[in-house]
Amino acid sequence: MDDGKPTGPKAKWWSRPSTGRGVPSEQEAPASEATPVTPASDETPVTHASGGARVAPDASPAQDGPASGADAAPTPWPEAIAELPGPVDATVPAPADAAATATVPAPARPKPLHEPDAYSTPPYGGPGPWAPAPPVQRPVPTPAHGTPLPPQYATAGAETTTGGYLQQAPQPQPQPHPPVPAPAAAGAPVPVTERPQPLSSVWLQYDPWSAPGQPLTHHGQPPAPRKRRRGRLLVGALLLALVSGGLGGAVGAYVERNGGVTRIELPQAGPESADRAPDSVAGIAARALPGVVTLHVSGGSEQGTGTGFVLDEQGHILTNNHVVDPAGASGDISVTFSGGETAKATLVGKDSGYDLAVVKVTGVSGLEPLPLGNSDNVRVGDPVVAIGAPFDLQNTVTSGIISAKERPITAGGEKGDGSDISYVDALQTDAPINPGNSGGPLVDGKARVIGINSAIRAADTGAGADGGQAGSIGLGFAIPINQGKRVAEELINTGKATHPVIGVSLDMRFTGDGARVGEKGQGDASAVTPGGPAAEAGVKPGDVITKVDGRRVHSGEELIVKIRAHRPGDELELTLRRGGDERTLTLVLGSADS
């Protein structure tokens, strides 16, 4: 199948024709040998894609163009073909002087570089390698509304512009190859092919490899304008409006209910019943607070704040002696109730030994007295609630337990003569008690008063960082209500309280275990009061009392506390040590006015 194929490089169909290319001289043939050849029946004229006709390889040399003379050089074949804008009409008759030139030998047809192909099979059929490369046009997709052109290229003609867009003119259909004329008879004039006309300026300026911006030529009918489907657009717009309206309504409802998109609201429990269990701290406080008051005392250069609680509907209020002591004989005492009402109060009576006092308000209605409990029924570990005005913060509620019972404490002594010292057989609690709580109630689980908050044990020196009184460290002490009730009744009824006594003077400098009776009393009097309870029971100076009612005592202060925990007239059993012997005596407590 390779027979007759050239071995040299193939001519590329897209190669540009070069100017000034002639036919080699050795390929020229004598005019007498030139014989017109009629194309075979199976040879079909080849039509170029751009509309120009392509010549069959064995076409007649007469179609190559007339010769100007015997020595005239042949017309450059490729350039002539390349400049043809369309098919050449070979049937145009020759001019009148054609007969004179018919006898002139015409240049021989260029001989191809390869053997002719009888089957005209490309690329070795027609056209041969001397055929010029057709103009190259790259297909460009045409937009729906044409191709935009600069204003300088928008010209009239086959292509029209509308709004700066190129409207394509219909593409001319390729014309069939003109038939090859039959060979002329002897002596007949040789038809001369019409000289090709030059291409239009548009094709002369076209360069497919040039920069963009050159005039473009497009073929084909302009696309028909697309029909707008207004019905579908209308339906889509309505659906969009409905969806937007629904979303807008949802967002608006959310904003209205929640107060804004970016506002943060934390979850919170809803309203609940205000009732609490009666034995809870809240339940106890709710019942006890109406009967608790805050006292503001001033007199001379002193003033103070404390707490008290209502004893009866007549307006009697129980508090500590050290709370009302700054008022003196002519000071002011103001009482503030839990609801905020205030009233003036007057002093009924006070006792420094028990550290108790009673004041009274008048003209006040709706008082709610607190019920009194029994301090003898209290057990260590029982829950308690303390109510007061620490640092003048009224209606303050704290809770704890009973830490201990019968804790002997002494308080006061600021005057130096011992007249302000109180001896208390106290209840100890860990409920926080601070300055201002003094005189307030210590209540049990049934909101009954079992003690009067009176003293605290402060850390180190008992002074705060600012020089004031320090706060609670969990060591609070309350006067048992049994003792407070007795003293309060005496103060209300007589204006003064009585103290139980045994009729002895104690040696407070004794460091041993127990309480020792002194050798001498005040003013060199006998340490044992003649005719007193101790003298009648057989107590002697120098005896050491070690027990009261079977409970050990370790100091003189503890003996006083144990005695004052009883009423005058109560019977006591004393255990004492004398000269190494231990003996037990029984006596009846006497009475002394405060």
Side-chain angles (χ1 to χ4, degrees):
M1 296 297 295
D2 297 333
D3 293 341
K5 294 183 179 180
T7 58
K10 290 183 179 181
K12 300 183 181 295
W13 68 270
W14 47 265
S15 300
R16 281 183 166 181
S18 60
T19 59
R21 178 179 170 184
V23 181
S25 60
E26 61 270 19
Q27 294 181 358
E28 298 178 356
S32 60
E33 297 176 2
T35 305
V37 181
T38 302
S41 60
D42 56 349
E43 290 180 355
T44 304
V46 180
T47 302
H48 191 268
S50 62
R54 302 179 67 177
V55 183
D58 52 352
S60 173
Q63 296 175 340
D64 297 341
S68 60
D71 298 333
T75 302
W77 189 273
E79 285 74 0
I81 297 301
E83 294 179 359
L84 289 177
V88 179
D89 189 0
T91 62
V92 178
D97 56 350
T101 60
T103 59
V104 179
R109 181 174 61 87
K111 185 177 182 180
L113 300 180
H114 60 274
E115 295 297 329
D117 184 9
Y119 301 96
S120 299
T121 303
Y124 305 113
W130 59 83
V136 178
Q137 292 187 6
R138 297 182 180 178
V140 178
T142 304
H145 301 289
T147 304
L149 290 178
Q152 62 269 24
Y153 296 113
T155 59
E159 295 138 338
T160 61
T161 58
T162 303
Y165 288 90
L166 177 65
Q167 301 297 330
Q168 301 175 357
Q171 181 179 0
Q173 300 297 328
Q175 299 295 330
H177 186 74
V180 179
V190 179
V192 180
T193 305
E194 182 180 358
R195 184 178 182 86
Q197 298 297 325
L199 294 173
S200 64
S201 60
V202 176
W203 287 106
L204 292 177
Q205 297 176 0
Y206 174 73
D207 186 358
W209 287 273
S210 64
Q214 300 299 327
L216 302 178
T217 301
H218 296 279
H219 302 281
Q221 295 295 334
R226 183 177 299 177
K227 295 182 180 180
R228 297 181 180 179
R229 301 179 180 177
R230 297 183 178 180
R232 295 183 179 180
L233 291 178
L234 181 59
V235 173
L238 291 176
L239 292 177
L240 180 60
L242 291 176
V243 173
S244 301
L247 292 177
V251 172
Y254 177 84
V255 171
E256 181 181 359
R257 294 178 180 177
N258 297 276
V261 178
T262 59
R263 182 178 177 182
I264 297 176
E265 290 191 5
L266 302 177
Q268 184 180 21
E272 296 179 353
S273 174
D275 297 337
R276 295 293 183 269
D279 57 348
S280 66
V281 174
I284 295 170
R287 288 182 288 171
L289 277 172
V292 181
V293 299
T294 301
L295 285 78
H296 295 88
V297 180
S298 62
S301 60
E302 298 183 61
Q303 61 182 6
T305 302
T307 308
F309 59 93
V310 179
L311 292 175
D312 54 30
E313 294 181 356
Q314 285 74 31
H316 292 103
I317 297 172
L318 181 62
T319 184
N320 282 136
N321 174 70
H322 69 267
V323 172
V324 299
D325 191 58
S330 60
D332 294 331
I333 301 175
S334 174
V335 176
T336 303
F337 295 89
S338 62
E341 303 87 352
T342 60
K344 293 293 185 178
T346 58
L347 181 63
V348 176
K350 62 179 181 178
D351 186 272
S352 61
Y354 292 114
D355 193 20
L356 292 174
V358 175
V359 298
K360 184 179 180 180
V361 294
T362 57
V364 179
S365 61
L367 297 177
E368 298 187 22
L370 291 184
L372 304 181
N374 189 335
S375 55
D376 291 340
N377 297 333
V378 175
R379 295 294 178 266
V380 175
D382 284 350
V384 291
V385 174
I387 304 175
F391 300 100
D392 203 15
L393 301 174
Q394 69 178 39
N395 298 334
T396 298
V397 178
T398 58
S399 63
I401 62 170
I402 295 296
S403 302
K405 291 180 61 177
E406 300 178 355
R407 185 75 72 188
I409 64 168
T410 58
E414 287 83 1
K415 294 183 178 180
D417 56 0
S419 61
D420 61 338
I421 297 177
S422 60
Y423 300 91
V424 180
D425 195 18
L427 298 173
Q428 179 181 333
T429 179
D430 66 347
I433 297 175
N434 295 282
N437 276 105
S438 296
L442 183 70
V443 299
D444 60 9
K446 296 181 179 180
R448 299 175 302 188
V449 180
I450 59 173
I452 301 100
N453 299 321
S454 178
I456 61 172
R457 177 67 172 89
D460 299 329
T461 61
D466 58 352
Q469 195 170 5
S472 171
I473 60 173
L475 295 174
F477 303 96
I479 300 171
I481 192 59
N482 289 2
Q483 183 177 352
K485 175 180 178 294
R486 179 182 66 83
V487 174
E489 290 173 347
E490 291 180 352
L491 293 176
I492 292 172
N493 294 326
T494 65
K496 58 182 180 181
T498 59
H499 298 168
V501 295
I502 61 174
V504 298
S505 296
L506 299 177
D507 183 6
M508 303 303 292
R509 294 174 294 180
F510 179 70
T511 58
D513 188 24
R516 187 175 70 174
V517 180
E519 296 294 337
K520 293 289 184 177
Q522 187 176 8
D524 291 336
S526 173
V528 178
T529 303
E536 293 180 0
V539 177
K540 301 295 182 180
D543 288 347
V544 179
I545 301 172
T546 58
K547 293 180 181 179
V548 175
D549 288 338
R551 298 188 180 188
R552 296 193 65 87
V553 292
H554 302 283
S555 63
E557 289 84 357
E558 287 191 27
L559 179 61
I560 297 172
V561 169
K562 295 299 183 182
I563 292 172
R564 288 192 177 182
H566 295 77
R567 293 172 177 267
D570 289 346
E571 188 178 275
L572 291 182
E573 183 181 81
L574 300 180
T575 300
L576 51 86
R577 187 175 62 247
R578 183 187 298 167
D581 296 333
E582 188 174 82
R583 63 188 64 188
T584 299
L585 302 175
T586 301
L587 56 80
V588 177
L589 293 176
S591 176
D593 294 335
S594 57

